[in-house]
Amino acid sequence: MAAASHTAADTASVAVPASVLRSRRAAPAGALLGLLSRESGETLIDQIVRSVAARIDDRLLRGGARMPSIRAFAAAHGVSPFTVVASYDRLVATGYLESRRGAGFFVRERGGIAGPSMTSRAPRHSSGFEVKPIDVVWLVRNMFRQMPHAQMPGSGVLPSDWLDGAAISNALKAVSRQNAGVLLSYGVPQGFLPLRQQLQHKLAELEIAAAPEQLVTTAGVTQALDLVAREFTQPGDTIFVDDPAWFLMFGSFAALGAKVVGIPRLADGPDIAKLAELAALHKPKLYIINSVLHNPSSTSLSAAKAFQVLRLAEEHDFVIVEDDIYCDLHPGSAVQPATRLAALDQLQRVIYLGGFSKTMAANLRVGFIAASPERAERLADRKMLTMLTTSDIGERVVYKVLSDGTFRKHTDRMRARLDGLRAKTIRQMERVGLKVDVAAPAGMFVWVDAGRDTNVLAERAMAQNLLLAPGSLFSPAQLPSTRMRLNVAAMQDPQVWRFLESELARS
């Protein structure tokens, strides 16, 4: 549900009692929340508490402001007075509201004792955003807000109800029955051996030969990228990335003192002429690339481009880091032609990364690196010096799911579900005024052109509790962009379409 003010269309569809209008005039803090959902799986009390708390955290409700009366709030939102009482009581207990006998409920002043979420924050303007410009931290922070997935069309994950929670639960139970001594001790720096053996078979299906000693487990692909960058670059070195590309690594590499340079990404892979020009100029140490289901466009690397990238890597002596986190969402070359660099190179000049956060469970944080034996040994040592080992329990759970045969069926179902949504969602995007240059036949993302600055669009969306991913964040240059990434699995809420249609019509 949305915690922001209604659009004109929403207001017209909700009958607002006169008592509420009087309450609004007397106390602006009583502005209505968005429509409550009885089908979201979240109780009405939880929805009210979460939305009011978010408005207080975002300074949309100021300290000392009077909340609507219990009767007025109940009438405005179509809920029982009991629901409102329970919600207000919980907000009082967590420090967001205070009850004044005979006067009602008020937003607690922040000068006193704060609730658990009332931490010191940067100044905000009336839309609820920090005054500083939208940046990667802004997007990542908001991706971790407790918002329904249907209100996060800019998110990078599938809805939790698409994932196989039963398989994870069964695997956890199986692991918990193992010897307690095993579960209470450290793992090994390279990772749980049976999992690495299972990954050897998985990579063989992709025509990548990697023995268990060439594999190192990590806390997701995020840590894998960090380990590789730390081991194979020094401050002042250049790292190439696709442009656009996954945004989180830009700041991570810059924090290591690296110079991050973007290589324009086309529908079939990088702009080879630009890659050659920039490689001669910068002499990069690494080139990070999505060969399959590129984030944010869902396009894949052609065979011709793959050979050219490898040739340039040899000529200019840089290592290619192939991020294949979306591997299990790819339907195969019969549907979308795709070439993995690691399959051509066999881990000589390519370091291959994979993981299961997108298709199994983000909370498990299990990823892996496949590399030449010498590089794998160096990365295992680096991992050991950084964090000793990764979670052996999580790796055992992933091994169980991969080895019992259920994971393949699960990924087939996910791909089929995405296929059932993609075409009609793209048609709807075009109907509301978004331009789709490349409609990839696989993956969860669509890279659209909104025809206006999507930073501004993202700010307006967040004011209605909708999370968009503006295009500026997907480029190391961070320049204003009319592009943005949309997730077809998170485009099913009518509120999303109403917002986009209204905003794009206005522009």
Side-chain angles (χ1 to χ4, degrees):
M1 83 168 198
S5 303
H6 291 295
T7 61
D10 292 333
T11 304
S13 66
V14 179
V16 184
S19 62
V20 178
L21 294 176
R22 288 194 295 273
S23 175
R24 280 181 172 180
R25 287 192 293 269
L32 293 176
L33 305 176
L35 296 177
L36 300 173
S37 170
R38 288 170 170 78
E39 300 176 355
S40 67
E42 185 181 25
T43 68
L44 294 174
I45 293 171
D46 286 342
Q47 291 180 56
I48 293 169
V49 170
R50 175 175 53 76
S51 296
V52 171
R55 291 172 69 82
I56 294 172
D57 281 340
D58 290 341
R59 308 297 175 93
L60 296 174
L61 293 176
R62 299 287 182 174
R66 184 179 184 274
M67 295 295 292
S69 70
I70 291 170
R71 183 178 299 175
F73 193 105
H77 293 281
V79 298
S80 70
F82 170 81
T83 297
V84 183
V85 170
S87 302
Y88 279 8
D89 283 346
R90 190 181 300 178
L91 287 161
V92 169
T94 53
Y96 282 100
L97 301 181
E98 60 179 332
S99 175
R100 300 178 187 173
R101 185 179 297 274
F105 292 86
F106 294 79
V107 177
R108 185 182 292 273
E109 294 283 357
R110 294 190 176 220
I113 298 174
S117 296
M118 289 182 171
T119 54
S120 176
R121 302 174 70 170
R124 295 174 176 253
H125 58 61
S126 60
S127 67
F129 295 101
E130 295 183 9
V131 174
K132 68 179 184 180
I134 286 178
D135 58 12
V136 170
V137 174
W138 176 92
L139 180 59
V140 176
R141 182 188 299 122
N142 282 297
M143 285 174 65
F144 283 96
R145 288 179 63 176
Q146 296 302 308
M147 295 168 62
H149 191 268
Q151 292 174 215
M152 301 174 69
S155 71
V157 297
L158 295 170
S160 58
D161 61 2
W162 284 40
L163 304 179
D164 195 345
I168 301 299
S169 177
N170 291 336
L172 280 166
K173 291 175 183 176
V175 169
S176 70
R177 291 193 292 267
Q178 295 178 1
N179 185 307
V182 173
L183 300 181
L184 298 176
S185 60
Y186 282 118
V188 298
Q190 274 200 267
F192 184 50
L193 178 58
L195 174 58
R196 288 187 284 124
Q197 292 170 331
Q198 187 70 35
L199 292 173
Q200 178 183 15
H201 299 312
K202 179 179 174 63
L203 292 180
E205 293 179 358
L206 303 176
E207 300 182 342
I208 302 170
E213 59 268 21
Q214 292 179 256
L215 293 160
V216 180
T217 60
T218 62
V221 167
T222 303
Q223 192 206 20
L225 284 167
D226 185 70
L227 284 174
V228 170
R230 288 178 184 275
E231 182 61 32
F232 297 111
T233 66
Q234 297 178 354
D237 287 342
T238 296
I239 299 177
F240 281 179
V241 296
D242 284 337
D243 189 356
W246 183 53
F247 45 80
L248 197 63
M249 60 183 170
F250 304 154
S252 175
F253 295 158
L256 297 177
K259 181 179 181 181
V260 183
V261 175
I263 305 300
R265 176 80 180 212
L266 308 177
D268 61 347
D271 182 329
I272 293 297
K274 201 68 177 176
L275 176 59
E277 175 190 337
L278 293 174
L281 178 65
H282 293 285
K283 297 298 180 184
K285 290 295 182 68
L286 302 175
Y287 177 21
I288 319 296
I289 184 172
N290 285 138
S291 296
V292 176
L293 296 182
H294 166 252
N295 179 8
S297 71
S298 290
T299 58
S300 291
L301 186 67
S302 69
K305 285 285 180 75
F307 281 108
Q308 291 172 302
V309 170
L310 287 170
R311 177 181 58 80
L312 288 171
E314 182 72 27
E315 179 182 344
H316 297 283
D317 193 26
F318 60 83
V319 173
I320 298 168
V321 182
E322 186 171 29
D323 176 359
D324 200 12
I325 186 63
Y326 300 100
C327 166
D328 296 307
L329 293 179
H330 190 258
S333 294
V335 176
Q336 184 189 49
T339 303
R340 288 179 172 84
L341 293 158
L344 297 179
D345 170 81
Q346 293 302 310
L347 304 177
Q348 297 304 302
R349 190 169 286 277
V350 175
I351 298 174
Y352 179 90
L353 313 181
F356 303 95
S357 61
K358 307 299 182 183
T359 50
M360 193 179 295
N363 202 26
L364 287 173
R365 307 308 302 149
V366 176
F368 64 91
I369 302 170
S372 66
E374 183 270 335
R375 289 193 181 112
E377 183 177 10
R378 288 176 60 183
L379 288 165
D381 288 345
R382 169 71 66 169
K383 172 186 168 183
M384 180 176 61
L385 293 172
T386 302
M387 59 180 300
L388 296 179
T389 68
T390 39
S391 169
D392 187 74
I393 295 175
E395 291 171 9
R396 288 171 183 266
V397 169
V398 171
Y399 165 71
K400 177 66 176 173
V401 175
L402 290 178
S403 61
D404 68 9
T406 61
F407 184 66
R408 189 183 301 273
K409 295 177 182 178
H410 164 61
T411 54
D412 287 344
R413 288 193 298 269
M414 283 194 301
R415 288 194 297 267
R417 199 163 181 179
L418 282 170
D419 290 344
L421 289 175
R422 188 180 301 103
K424 66 179 182 181
T425 303
I426 290 174
R427 288 195 297 270
Q428 180 69 0
M429 290 176 183
E430 292 173 332
R431 279 197 291 269
V432 300
L434 296 169
K435 183 180 178 182
V436 181
D437 294 326
V438 179
M444 72 174 87
F445 300 133
V446 183
W447 186 235
V448 302
D449 190 340
R452 58 174 295 185
D453 186 345
T454 50
N455 275 19
V456 175
L457 198 64
E459 287 193 9
R460 292 183 178 277
M462 186 53 72
Q464 296 192 31
N465 249 25
L466 297 174
L467 179 67
L468 297 181
S472 64
L473 305 188
F474 292 83
S475 170
Q478 306 278 285
L479 297 175
S481 172
T482 62
R483 300 274 178 173
M484 63 179 172
R485 185 190 71 182
L486 292 174
N487 183 338
V488 298
M491 297 289 292
Q492 309 315 307
D493 191 325
Q495 183 192 1
V496 173
W497 295 111
R498 287 196 301 269
F499 169 80
L500 290 172
E501 187 170 25
S502 173
E503 288 295 323
L504 296 175
R506 178 167 63 177
S507 67

